Amino acid sequence: MIVVMKMKASQKNIDAVIHRVESAGCQVHPIVGVDRTVIGVIGDGRVVDRRQIGRMKGVENVMPITKPYKAASREFKPEDTVFSVGGVIIGGKDLVIMAGPCAVEGRTELLEIAHACKEGGAHILRGGAYKPRTSPYSFQGLAEEGLRYLAEAREETGMPIITEVMDPALVPLVCEYVDILQVGARNMQNYTLLNAIGRSQHPVMLKRSMIGTTLEWLMCAEYILSHGNNRVMLCERGIRANETETRNTFDVNAIPVTKQLSHLPIIADPSHATGRWEYVGATAKAAVAAGADGLMIEVHQQPDQAWSDGRQSLKPERFKRLVGELRLIAQAVGRDIPVDSLEVNQNGRTGIATPIEVVTKR
Amino acid sequence: MIVVMKMKASQKNIDAVIHRVESAGCQVHPIVGVDRTVIGVIGDGRVVDRRQIGRMKGVENVMPITKPYKAASREFKPEDTVFSVGGVIIGGKDLVIMAGPCAVEGRTELLEIAHACKEGGAHILRGGAYKPRTSPYSFQGLAEEGLRYLAEAREETGMPIITEVMDPALVPLVCEYVDILQVGARNMQNYTLLNAIGRSQHPVMLKRSMIGTTLEWLMCAEYILSHGNNRVMLCERGIRANETETRNTFDVNAIPVTKQLSHLPIIADPSHATGRWEYVGATAKAAVAAGADGLMIEVHQQPDQAWSDGRQSLKPERFKRLVGELRLIAQAVGRDIPVDSLEVNQNGRTGIATPIEVVTKR
Amino acid sequence: MIVVMKMKASQKNIDAVIHRVESAGCQVHPIVGVDRTVIGVIGDGRVVDRRQIGRMKGVENVMPITKPYKAASREFKPEDTVFSVGGVIIGGKDLVIMAGPCAVEGRTELLEIAHACKEGGAHILRGGAYKPRTSPYSFQGLAEEGLRYLAEAREETGMPIITEVMDPALVPLVCEYVDILQVGARNMQNYTLLNAIGRSQHPVMLKRSMIGTTLEWLMCAEYILSHGNNRVMLCERGIRANETETRNTFDVNAIPVTKQLSHLPIIADPSHATGRWEYVGATAKAAVAAGADGLMIEVHQQPDQAWSDGRQSLKPERFKRLVGELRLIAQAVGRDIPVDSLEVNQNGRTGIATPIEVVTKR
Amino acid sequence: MIVVMKMKASQKNIDAVIHRVESAGCQVHPIVGVDRTVIGVIGDGRVVDRRQIGRMKGVENVMPITKPYKAASREFKPEDTVFSVGGVIIGGKDLVIMAGPCAVEGRTELLEIAHACKEGGAHILRGGAYKPRTSPYSFQGLAEEGLRYLAEAREETGMPIITEVMDPALVPLVCEYVDILQVGARNMQNYTLLNAIGRSQHPVMLKRSMIGTTLEWLMCAEYILSHGNNRVMLCERGIRANETETRNTFDVNAIPVTKQLSHLPIIADPSHATGRWEYVGATAKAAVAAGADGLMIEVHQQPDQAWSDGRQSLKPERFKRLVGELRLIAQAVGRDIPVDSLEVNQNGRTGIATPIEVVTKR
């Protein structure tokens, strides 16, 4: 931590800061410059509250040096996090394709899409049973009924399933049904939910909020990791910017950035990141080229009949074609998208994810 | 709702949209222009899913006409919402001052600040018992112990109390202790929490998220109102913009905008909106001049010892001086900040807010 | 300047940075921490290129300590800048009201509005002769013809005039006609233009861009000041944020922030900052309460006939009423809006601004 | 154009709008809904000023239907724009690589980098002679001396050259030296400059501003195109968002979006879009996968000695390796990056770009 004193700070102000820092058990290292004094703090700066120091007389600014996350940091864990969910390896050399409808709309519809997704190259099935909707009057999801249909689709197709959970009280119930929990963008900083998920020890995909910096995002991952739940993957789904032609703005930089700062796998969601099916393909390709470990893509048989987000959903045939195109790009960057992984998975899977040792990829 | 067709849309595409809209029970009104056709939808456009139509062949864009909120809208309820909490009128001609520490740090400290706030002109006491912190390793609040201290401070000072609740499961517990629930910016779109608060029928202050538009904000109010809980006030606490000199950017426009679009009272939080005590006064004055119905201001005896957000806290003497300055501005815009309201309130109050009839202010 | 080394930086990396800094004539002050080394740079950090150092091996980050502006900084010039333009004092205890149409539309129309503005309480007349328009097919302004009408309006009313200039080559011509040049938001970082205006030694109002930080804004003021042109005022006209109900988001925090960081007068433009006449009053009041030194307000006799920006223009009678309301707020914060200043000014003015000594206000 | 009337609008208000629209030569088509009336405007809505109508009594909102750009629009010109500059085809099946230093620092240095870039696979040489710098005290470029060195580098390597121009008065001079003009992000809406470039009939690359929407960007292209200068390419160089780990946020969605809305070629600048060399590769790959027609990449022999932007510059050997990797991705999306194009080009080139017929690619 670096404490920058004001130009007109008195020696008494400077001494007070030094005393405060030393009382917290840290060493100080004052640098007397031409215009002002700067105080370096040696030791774990996290024990000294940055905002407290910032309020002391004569202090202009306090700048942190050490990143505030630890378990999520590549500095502290250099090797990639790789884990298996229902036989599907996440974070390894091969990319993972998650696909399915925005919302689970009914048993028949879901089973049909699930088969189409598997046929199109998906490894994991997505589907919303609890939907965060802007309006209280909109369809809010089938709830537990939706979870049952998802579990049935897993039985039929062999694909592990992922679904969003919004209510901390429902985490245990949702864990009974699905393989991977999803934290939506609106709940990235819902710490009650993050703690409940951390305690569940269940695999989780943490979406970035529409406004979050990577630092804030990794701090949210840290909430989950701090409970010893290491099966965490990140998901970039677009931020809010000025553009009106797309629903969100896909921050492709976030892929190399999180890869450098963290060891966690990173998934891209081009459906939400664009909001329009016409742009999903181009953005999905960009994500693969930039190094994403997987994609989450919305697929619907009849997007113009979808109960939510139809505008950004691909039809099954287009999805299948896209996976083929993505595979070529994955191979161009030294990776692959396995198309027969599901057969492989069908035997070993247990319905619910089993912990595996974290292995080093690179 | 207006459906804009593409320039190259076929008659078949147009007919399909018309058929869809009519099937939903709405009338259509096509306008054949020079370059393209535009289809006006008459009836409650909310029954037709905008995103579904947007996905139909030949459709370029779908523009809503009717605002999606109803209970929160001034179009449907022209008179201001005014209600009383523990004898303090919110949303009336007089402004309401809420003050107190960011976090409840201990019994003695809280009682001391509470008296200082009352002495300085506050009508309602704030204090966090559950703190949303960026880091899982930071102080997370005293929890129920903090609620007990708040209740004790209310007994001693006669001021109603407000505190943030983050966990839907804790809403009933928090309601037992405090007069007003607060929804923090990070939880604005935590629909599980909003529903729990709606069901509680407890007064609530809904902060705007760092990124939310007023439309999204009012939709979140609609979630609470849809449960018949009408004692809702809004709070503008600053949005995230590019500026680095302040913690957030206070959107003062939001005050006249919400006043025009909605009947709900609007409170300003200049402490979070600036993040630095030096700027709190100027921004508080701006809020009063722009028409805010009240202010929430962080006060701490020793800001440089505060467990959180010390940098934006005022010392009691500065707070008192500021309330005096704010009163002059309130009077300049035809309102007032009563300084003896608390004596008036002390008799009639019941500890927990009692519903009153909504009265018309203007 | 503080250079933060990576955790894995070698001693060789550290030595290279030290050598580089010392070669530039600065002293270094390394702090060896638990995890990493941090190097403090003593001396004028501006002679060392921050981006160069940031590219050296083993360097994680480089953080500037000294603000990069000097002539614009209150640290170097503590007293407020106050100057007179055509007899109107800018930056003093009294606030300045600039008013007029968005664009000069014709001789008769301008003279009529000019008189109405003066009658309503304006001290300076605004009007666009060169209009930055989003579309090349929109009305681009009357150019020199517009300047002539402005000069005529000055003769008739005695009010100094301000107009936007966009083309560096036209600066000399515009200086011949008007008292104050205006740099629009889109041209804040048009350095060619800033240099031309700096050289002109003409009074100037520098609008903040829709995205600029106060630091960038002050650096643009520094461009003008670096030519010895000290008659510079800032103008906050709203930033671009997510809100769609208003055209821009007025950053009221910018008023106390620029007052703290700089000695330059700050004007608010509530017309552009809201984009809708219904909100202009509330935002104008907020600006005065927050400490603005003046306002620029668009006025038009028939806003629904205006050639540009009619939606945000006030009618003369509403403008006059607003100035009365603003005066009450100015007085509530210990300042004033003189209504008879123009008579005072009429004798002394010369048509073109004359330099006066900068005087200390506080 | 659609005019939405307020719920409480009177018939008189509605009639006034209808009259106004009809007076401008357009037809109206009112739709009387349950709550309010909506008025469809048929004809070229551009002749009716949207902001004027928005200011009329009883009008709530005015929504444009027709995009305001025409020459830049794919609706009006469906086939891709393809043109040749010095023998290099831009906008065709093959991608174009532009590379070189941020600033021209000297004759020897430039020639050395130019050869290294060509050797690494570049087709066009970039280099700044006029540099937009945040600080007036920073190096501002070598000006005409820099242009001479660029021209010499072209002679030696055969690569056409591109450089930024900021001053409208210098456009003719810069055109004498270079093949392609560049409009920087800060000048995207510098209409004086855009008009000067439009008149020059010189090829130009128009960078998107840090905040511009694609609509605003295309309107700026429209300024140039409106002069009959059709050799325009767009360049996405990153927008400003909340992220602090990167200098800007690369909006990869902009590639498919501009491809859909416009026929102009789109180039990506991963150097500015990330601001850190470590991330340039991943983002460059993303751009190619998403369909960019070319890349502009900063290359410097000794980035830690660069006079500007060293942190985002690649060393020649890394650049060469990256071009090889990009080629694989280009091929995976059905395109290519020719490595021997320069030999092909060397004969035909004339030093200054020659107009060619626009050909259809797809």
Side-chain angles (χ1 to χ4, degrees), chain C residues 105-160:
Chain C
E105 298 173 6
R107 185 179 168 279
T108 320
E109 294 83 347
L110 182 67
L111 294 179
E112 189 189 331
I113 305 180
H115 283 290
C117 287
K118 187 182 172 184
E119 158 71 17
H123 312 113
I124 293 175
L125 177 68
R126 67 148 285 152
Y130 302 92
K131 300 300 303 170
R133 300 304 296 272
T134 308
S135 167
Y137 313 120
S138 297
F139 170 63
Q140 310 274 324
L142 294 179
E144 191 170 357
E145 185 186 347
L147 298 177
R148 279 198 301 270
Y149 298 154
L150 283 167
E152 192 174 344
R154 177 178 55 202
E155 290 312 306
E156 286 216 6
T157 64
M159 289 189 286

Side-chain angles (χ1 to χ4, degrees), chain A residues 137 216 222 240 304 313, chain B residues 20 55 137 216 222 240:
Chain A
Y137 313 122
E216 290 169 333
E222 190 86 9
R240 184 171 286 184
D304 62 353
S313 296
Chain B
R20 170 73 62 88
R55 188 58 167 82
Y137 313 121
E216 290 168 334
E222 189 86 9
R240 183 171 286 184

Side-chain angles (χ1 to χ4, degrees), chain B residues 268-307:
Chain B
D269 173 350
S271 305
H272 284 87
T274 59
R276 296 184 63 167
W277 68 267
E278 301 95 320
Y279 304 135
V280 167
T283 298
K285 290 175 192 172
V288 172
D293 294 306
L295 294 168
M296 171 172 268
I297 297 175
E298 286 189 8
V299 177
H300 199 283
Q301 304 101 310
Q302 293 179 280
D304 62 351
Q305 304 281 350
W307 293 4

